Amino acid sequence: HVQLVESGGGSVQTGGSLRLSCVASGSAYSAHSACMGWFRQAPGKEREGVASFSTADGATYDADSVLGRFTISQDKSDHTLYLQMNSLKPEDTAMYFCVVDWELPPCTVEEDTEFGYWGQGTQVTVS
């Protein structure tokens, strides 16, 4: 059993910032060699990988669409994954989902089918 709970979404004006959080828990969750990340999906659009974080070595991956604006990080003490989103644009409007899986070589968010565990999502609206 793995549970991922996101928070931090909301409505913000163009150019604003938000920080999403994702708390991981459950009997089957392990912080060892986990690939954690964020996907997003807007109405009528395909799901898009945003960023990922490897707990094995701290390596991160950012999609081109958010490079330089979003930062993914993790607080190891409480297994919380963060996504700091700055300079938000209307095209960032979407439901954002936290994901995790293990032993993914490499740890990226290029393929959503690689992730077996998903949170319920948190809505981000930029106007």
Side-chain angles (χ1 to χ4, degrees):
H1 171 68
V2 175
Q3 186 174 21
L4 301 172
V5 180
E6 303 101 329
S7 61
S11 297
V12 65
Q13 292 186 337
T14 299
S17 298
L18 284 173
R19 189 176 79 158
L20 305 184
S21 300
C22 171
V23 178
S25 63
S27 58
Y29 176 80
S30 169
H32 178 68
S33 295
C35 180
M36 303 188 74
W38 295 92
F39 281 83
R40 67 185 181 185
Q41 188 164 24
K45 294 187 177 181
E46 292 188 356
R47 188 178 293 165
E48 175 189 20
V50 177
S52 64
F53 181 95
S54 170
T55 65
D57 58 9
T60 61
Y61 167 90
D62 300 301
D64 289 343
S65 58
V66 304
L67 199 60
R69 300 188 298 122
F70 291 10
T71 303
I72 190 170
S73 62
Q74 188 202 34
D75 184 335
K76 291 183 178 180
S77 64
D78 60 4
H79 307 303
T80 300
L81 185 73
Y82 298 102
L83 185 67
Q84 178 66 45
M85 305 186 294
N86 299 328
S87 302
L88 283 161
K89 306 175 181 179
E91 51 264 45
D92 294 317
T93 295
M95 184 72 79
Y96 284 70
F97 298 90
C98 177
V99 297
V100 68
D101 219 303
W102 286 266
E103 305 294 344
L104 299 184
C107 176
T108 72
V109 285
E110 293 182 335
E111 293 291 339
D112 58 358
T113 55
E114 292 183 337
F115 292 89
Y117 301 94
W118 292 69
Q120 82 288 350
T122 185
Q123 178 68 37
V124 171
T125 303
V126 185
S127 60

